[in-house]
Amino acid sequence: MLTGLSKGLTSYGDAEFSLFLRKAFIKAMGYTDDALTRPIIAITNTASDYNPCHGNVPDLIEAAKRGVMLAGGLPMVFPTLSIHESFAFPTSMYLRNLMAMETEEMLRAQPMDAVVLIAGCDKTIPAQMMAAASVDLPAIVVPTGPMNVGHHRGEMLGACTDCRRFWAAQRAGTLAAGEIDDVNERLAPSIGTCMVMGTASTMACMVEALGLALPGAASATATSADRKRIAEASGARAVAMAKAGGPKVSALLSDTSLHNALVVLQAIGGSTNGVIHLTAMAGRAGVKLDLAHLDQLGREVPVLLNLKPSGAFYMEHFHHAGGLPRLMRELADKLHLDCQNVAGTTLGEVISRAEDVPGQSVIFARDKPLKSAGALAVLHGNLAPRGAVIKQSAASKELMSYTGRAVVFDSVEDMAARIDDPALDVMAGDILVLRHAGPKGAPGMPEAGYLPIPLKLARAGVKDMVRISDARMSGTAFGTIVLHITPEAAEGGPLALVESGDVIRLDVTGRRLDVLIDENEMARRLAVWKKTPPHRPLPPRGYARLFARHITQADEGCDFDFLMHKD
């Protein structure tokens, strides 16, 4: 088996010359022959001035390089795309597959025996894992880690659950003059990912639960010494994996480890985005995420983690309470404890060494959970034939079984133009409907599912309403919000046929989402819809055209059809 510099030689028609030339050029960097005989450990560089979530990546690279060299390997850093949630137009989800494609090709093109994947902001860990699963080499993930908590008038703050809460108060006119500016400077007090259980923290927990990151890697803050030690240890483990030839991603990302991750997703109050990303990551390894299984776990596994938006605390408190190993110990009977991990141990060994922290109130006991049901529920019905998702742990109890009149917005632009119009025909008991915000319709499935409360209702004191869409929602958000309706409206899904004034029934306990009109009327509306021009024409060129032609639906992970694993 080829290793080190001999892997993936550039094609000149003479392999010995190719290796000779490769060595000649790399020696221009000052490497010795001794260095060039060591296992090559690639380290991704996802730093960017546009990405404060990755502001500590240069420090993590240095720590990972130190670990590699202490273990006898040769570290090689290479750049990839870096996507930040707030700095990506039209949406970071639109660019996730592009990052996955670029990372995959660089993993294939460059010689390496193992790779350390450094990422954090929402879509970057999924993109890297999609790539690593497709290439199937020894890989270890180092999350960048959550930022520190902020403080405002004696209250702890966290991006971005509290940013939504304060912005809603600003819209409702209940903040003091100028207070929103003070809050703006205090919500994100350091580099790192959101310190609530948003998508970034969820995906960090997912890779740890899957065994693809070292124990404790999900929760240490971005600015802590723990985070650097995790990076160093990950570099050292990558060398051991390179020398042993594994474990490769395919040995770790399996049906059983995916089950473990789904158990954890329910117990941590995880982001709905986690469902899409896990589907795509697992799909690259030929493992299918079964929505019915996810939903069943939601009935069996309670929320144990007292973190916003489902609870009260933040990621640094989770870390000091024992982190994911301690939480998973509460769930031991639901987990496959024989699953291997990149540390070279089993999940059972990891949780047996979990720290017990006296008096902590962040990780609840299994018999006294924060919430009796899991974070997520999967809905079906005549509005969601292939499924929809609701984060029930962050929803209002009084709206979990609800019937109301639909107020329909035909696109994100339509919603933005009319939501605050005083003439908007909307009442507190209505259900807000957004469509053409799915993978194809938007495009890129934006986090627009968190429709704002119409201004006149917000000023009247309305805090929550049932909102449904084919869009996504930030994991940091809260409210009674149904997402990922599949098929999306742009594909002719039933959501495209709903009209303002229709009556919609949500029944989370019964796992149903239905519009209360008969099949004949639905058929009539569908026939009319088929004769209308497409909501958006096919883009003329480039990545936009590729995306529009090949993006799949939410229940398939929103991956490109030509990149999905084929049996």
Side-chain angles (χ1 to χ4, degrees):
M1 183 178 69
L2 295 177
T3 60
L5 287 182
S6 298
K7 296 183 72 174
L9 290 170
T10 307
S11 180
Y12 294 113
D14 182 339
E16 291 184 1
F17 172 73
S18 295
L19 181 59
F20 168 80
L21 194 61
R22 177 173 283 179
K23 283 186 175 180
F25 276 109
I26 200 66
K27 283 182 177 180
M29 302 288 286
Y31 291 108
T32 64
D33 284 321
D34 177 53
L36 297 176
T37 61
R38 307 298 177 102
I40 295 178
I41 310 301
I43 303 171
T44 60
N45 181 359
T46 56
S48 166
D49 285 350
Y50 289 105
N51 198 338
C53 294
H54 290 202
N56 62 340
V57 165
D59 289 340
L60 297 182
I61 288 173
E62 290 306 309
K65 288 172 66 176
R66 183 169 65 246
V68 170
M69 289 187 285
L70 287 171
L74 176 63
M76 299 289 283
V77 180
F78 71 98
T80 73
L81 281 174
S82 180
I83 306 170
H84 187 274
E85 185 64 38
S86 300
F87 283 87
F89 176 84
T91 165
S92 61
M93 187 66 174
Y94 177 73
L95 297 172
R96 184 201 67 180
N97 293 355
L98 181 62
M99 182 179 180
M101 290 172 69
E102 185 213 26
T103 304
E104 176 181 342
E105 294 309 315
M106 290 298 99
L107 294 181
R108 294 187 190 280
Q110 301 171 138
M112 62 189 72
D113 299 300
V115 61
V116 177
L117 302 164
I118 302 177
C121 194
D122 294 16
K123 313 307 179 289
T124 55
I125 287 178
Q128 289 186 334
M129 282 312 311
M130 291 161 69
S134 294
V135 179
D136 196 26
L137 77 172
I140 187 168
V141 180
V142 178
T144 56
M147 64 179 75
N148 302 327
V149 297
H151 294 85
H152 175 68
R153 296 187 175 181
E155 177 187 4
M156 286 188 295
L157 295 185
C160 195
T161 297
D162 294 315
C163 66
R164 298 178 189 281
R165 176 168 60 88
F166 275 97
W167 189 251
Q170 168 75 6
R171 281 172 50 81
T174 58
L175 285 188
E179 186 174 0
I180 195 68
D181 296 325
D182 293 336
V183 170
N184 187 253
E185 293 188 350
R186 297 167 183 173
L187 279 164
S190 77
I191 56 174
T193 59
C194 291
M195 65 288 261
V196 299
M197 190 48 70
T199 304
S201 295
T202 296
M203 296 317 301
C205 288
M206 292 299 93
V207 289
E208 184 177 334
L210 287 164
L212 297 164
L214 292 179
S219 53
T221 59
T223 59
S224 67
D226 277 351
R227 180 55 57 190
K228 292 180 182 178
R229 283 190 283 265
I230 288 166
E232 180 184 306
S234 297
R237 272 304 301 166
V239 175
M241 293 162 68
K243 291 178 178 178
K248 297 181 179 180
V249 174
S250 59
L252 300 176
L253 212 174
S254 63
D255 288 319
T256 51
S257 69
L258 179 60
H259 166 87
N260 289 346
L262 294 179
V263 170
V264 170
L265 182 65
Q266 294 288 12
I268 62 176
S271 168
T272 50
N273 285 323
V275 180
I276 292 178
H277 296 320
L278 280 172
T279 300
M281 290 161 50
R284 291 291 187 95
V287 178
K288 181 175 175 56
L289 190 155
D290 183 359
L291 289 175
H293 180 54
L294 170 66
D295 185 68
Q296 184 59 38
L297 290 175
R299 297 178 185 273
E300 300 171 358
V301 178
V303 176
L304 300 181
L305 188 56
N306 189 15
L307 250 68
K308 290 188 175 183
S310 299
F313 289 100
Y314 299 90
M315 285 295 288
E316 67 182 72
H317 305 121
F318 181 33
H319 186 64
H320 296 310
L324 200 61
R326 179 64 187 83
L327 180 137
M328 292 179 81
R329 199 167 80 194
E330 292 290 332
L331 302 163
D333 66 311
K334 288 289 184 184
L335 301 171
H336 295 285
L337 301 181
D338 58 346
C339 280
Q340 302 288 314
N341 57 50
V342 289
T345 60
T346 65
L347 177 58
E349 292 174 274
V350 169
I351 67 173
S352 71
R353 295 195 290 265
E355 182 181 6
D356 282 312
V357 179
Q360 63 86 17
S361 56
V362 182
I363 302 170
F364 278 44
R366 175 75 169 277
D367 59 350
K368 295 180 180 179
L370 178 70
K371 297 179 185 288
S372 59
L376 308 178
V378 178
L379 311 175
H380 288 86
N382 69 0
L383 269 183
R386 284 164 50 185
V389 177
I390 183 170
K391 189 170 184 177
Q392 58 183 349
S393 64
S396 300
K397 289 183 179 180
E398 65 273 15
L399 296 178
M400 299 288 274
S401 178
Y402 194 80
T403 301
R405 184 187 68 144
V407 176
V408 179
F409 300 97
D410 206 44
S411 65
V412 174
E413 295 82 1
D414 179 40
M415 183 268 292
R418 293 197 294 128
I419 194 74
D420 290 341
D421 186 344
L424 179 67
D425 181 14
V426 64
M427 298 177 290
D430 289 339
I431 293 178
L432 304 183
V433 178
L434 172 66
R435 63 183 172 212
H436 295 116
K440 288 187 178 181
M445 207 178 182
E447 291 185 342
Y450 184 76
L451 283 76
I453 303 297
L455 188 60
K456 64 183 179 181
L457 298 182
R459 289 177 173 170
V462 176
K463 303 294 185 184
D464 194 12
M465 299 174 71
V466 174
R467 288 157 275 182
I468 71 172
S469 73
D470 47 13
R472 296 180 301 111
M473 176 178 81
S474 170
T476 65
F478 50 87
T480 311
I481 303 172
V482 179
L483 307 149
H484 310 180
I485 290 179
T486 310
E488 63 175 305
E491 287 283 273
L495 191 66
L497 313 178
V498 178
E499 298 177 357
S500 290
D502 288 345
V503 176
I504 293 174
R505 181 170 60 214
L506 169 66
D507 176 12
V508 176
T509 301
R511 300 302 198 255
R512 297 288 304 182
L513 179 68
D514 297 282
V515 58
L516 303 185
I517 58 178
D518 64 38
E519 293 182 5
N520 291 334
E521 175 62 12
M522 289 287 276
R524 185 195 68 79
R525 293 183 187 183
L526 180 60
V528 173
W529 181 88
K530 287 180 177 179
K531 296 177 182 178
T532 59
H535 184 69
R536 290 185 186 273
L538 189 68
R541 63 185 299 278
Y543 181 69
R545 191 176 184 90
L546 178 76
F547 188 98
R549 281 186 164 176
H550 296 285
I551 193 67
T552 61
Q553 293 291 286
D555 60 340
E556 299 171 304
C558 298
D559 201 355
F560 288 153
D561 53 17
F562 60 85
L563 292 177
M564 297 168 69
H565 184 275
K566 305 298 182 184
D567 294 328

